[in-house]
Amino acid sequence: MIRFEPRANPGPVLTYGVPVIAAAIAILLAAIPLALADAPIIRAYGLMISGAFGSVFSISEMLTRATPLILTGLAAAIAFRAKLWNIGAEGQLYMGAMAAVAIGSGVIDGPSWIMIPVVMIAGAIAGALMLIGPTLMKTRLGVDEVVTTLLLNFIVLLFVQMMLEGALKDPMSMGWPQSEPIIDSAVFPPLIERMRVHFGLIIALVSAIALAVFVKRTVWGFEIRAVGENAAAAKFAGISVTKTMILVAALSGGLAGLAGVAEVAGTRGYLATDLSPGYGYAGIVVAMLARLSPVGVIASALFVASVFVGADSMSRAIGVSSYLADLIVAMALLCVLIGGFLTRFTVHFDRKTAG
């Protein structure tokens, strides 16, 4: 007979060690599909490492990929901490990107110190509004936010496609569905000359640190944690659950919107329907790997980005599908979930005694 008993105090070793062990196990388990594909396993691992860290260019590409993952990971982390299950970061990212393009493609003009904050604010507001609606439906009407936020992703993508074929279409795009480019004064400056890593990385890192301080050191952060732990008890203690949820929605949606701004103003320069390869959904994995810790999101985003960039390089070199990266990330999430359960509970195997 198997018995599960809650642990009184898991301790820091278990709490912080589980995500690291889970990531290591997931990477080791990747040897199974590599072996099934008749790939040289040791060489494949070496190519993945060199593809992500083997040169300045590789590192810059990894950091470029990590930038939106940090922001969408933070969006999921703050929402999940309050038990607001935001599955709509992908749609919020696209709305933030569209708002940035609408404002930053020449509607207004000015120097960089004006235009960059303007497109950031526009994108954050657009992303926040996309989540505030489902949050009000949850708190006022009891509508499941998992369903509403998930379905809004598809609605937003169709809306973006419509706008790229209409009001936002670039007349110089030779028929391709893409927006006009962001003007130069609204483009994020690169951090390394002739590399794609850009100012959005600084924004993401500052956002993670600021969110960590906000959650741990402010009254609003305490209220968010209280609502997440027990909404009924928080309400009994005088905390407005609805206002707290709206605050969380604004923060979560705004961070996802900033991820979209970072992609159009930092990486692409324009909006297209293939702007995101799934950063909004990957942000959920990043948040779970980080155990909803804002600072931990930085480390988990770097891990996921390095897996994606390394797998791309490895697949080109030995002909193995780059979808191996998705498999590694999925296995890491599964290992974290199992490890999280074992962190909270002790497993006992009781022998049945003869009656």
Side-chain angles (χ1 to χ4, degrees):
M1 179 179 177
I2 302 176
R3 241 179 346 105
F4 299 101
E5 290 186 358
R7 294 180 188 269
N9 183 16
V13 174
L14 276 177
T15 301
Y16 299 109
V18 163
V20 176
I21 296 171
I25 292 173
I27 292 173
L28 291 174
L29 289 175
I32 298 173
L34 284 172
L36 293 174
D38 291 328
I41 295 174
I42 302 299
R43 184 176 175 228
Y45 280 125
L47 289 168
M48 286 185 65
I49 294 170
S50 64
F53 303 102
S55 66
V56 174
F57 176 77
S58 299
I59 294 172
S60 72
E61 285 299 298
M62 184 269 291
L63 293 175
T64 301
R65 190 77 70 95
T67 297
L69 289 173
I70 293 173
L71 291 167
T72 55
L74 292 172
I78 187 63
F80 290 2
R81 188 174 285 274
K83 297 293 192 295
L84 178 64
W85 308 113
N86 177 19
I87 315 298
E90 187 78 358
Q92 294 145 26
L93 180 151
Y94 271 99
M95 284 301 292
M98 190 167 67
V101 165
I103 297 294
S105 58
V107 174
I108 60 173
D109 198 357
S112 294
W113 63 271
I114 291 177
M115 289 305 300
I116 289 177
V118 165
V119 296
M120 287 174 57
I121 291 169
I125 290 174
L129 291 175
M130 282 299 300
L131 185 54
I132 288 175
T135 302
L136 287 173
M137 293 172 67
K138 170 188 171 74
T139 56
R140 300 295 177 128
L141 303 174
V143 178
D144 188 350
E145 75 276 19
V146 172
V147 175
T148 53
T149 55
L150 178 61
L151 293 181
L152 275 173
N153 288 333
F154 303 101
I155 294 171
V156 168
L157 193 55
L158 290 171
F159 180 64
V160 168
Q161 289 174 344
M162 182 188 75
M163 294 299 289
L164 292 180
E165 294 285 359
L168 293 179
K169 186 172 184 177
D170 183 3
M172 305 297 291
S173 65
M174 305 295 291
W176 291 100
Q178 68 182 49
S179 73
E180 293 188 53
I182 295 277
I183 59 176
D184 291 343
S185 59
V187 172
F188 288 176
L191 297 182
I192 303 174
E193 200 65 34
R194 296 188 298 275
M195 299 293 176
R196 293 204 308 161
V197 61
H198 53 80
F199 179 67
L201 177 63
I202 304 298
I203 296 170
L205 296 175
V206 170
S207 298
I209 295 169
L211 191 64
V213 173
F214 176 82
V215 170
K216 290 289 186 182
R217 303 294 182 185
T218 68
V219 174
W220 286 339
F222 170 78
E223 291 178 348
I224 290 170
R225 287 184 282 124
V227 169
E229 290 292 333
N230 191 321
K235 184 177 181 180
F236 182 78
I239 297 172
S240 173
V241 175
T242 299
K243 287 182 180 179
T244 302
M245 283 293 193
I246 291 173
L247 172 62
V248 170
L251 288 171
S252 179
L255 287 164
L258 277 178
V261 176
E263 285 302 284
V264 295
T267 305
R268 284 289 191 91
Y270 60 89
L271 175 61
T273 53
D274 62 348
L275 178 73
S276 168
Y279 289 132
Y281 300 110
I284 297 172
V285 179
V286 168
M288 297 302 293
L289 286 174
R291 306 290 296 273
L292 308 186
S293 164
V295 176
V297 161
I298 298 173
S300 60
L302 292 174
F303 165 73
V304 172
S306 64
V307 168
F308 282 135
V309 173
D312 285 343
S313 176
M314 180 266 296
S315 67
R316 290 192 298 269
I318 61 175
V320 174
S321 173
S322 61
Y323 284 107
L324 178 69
D326 298 303
L327 183 61
I328 293 173
V329 171
M331 288 190 296
L333 177 59
L334 182 62
C335 292
V336 163
L337 293 176
I338 295 172
F341 179 81
L342 296 177
T343 299
R344 294 192 303 272
F345 296 92
T346 303
V347 182
H348 295 278
F349 297 92
D350 295 335
R351 294 181 179 178
K352 294 184 73 173
T353 57

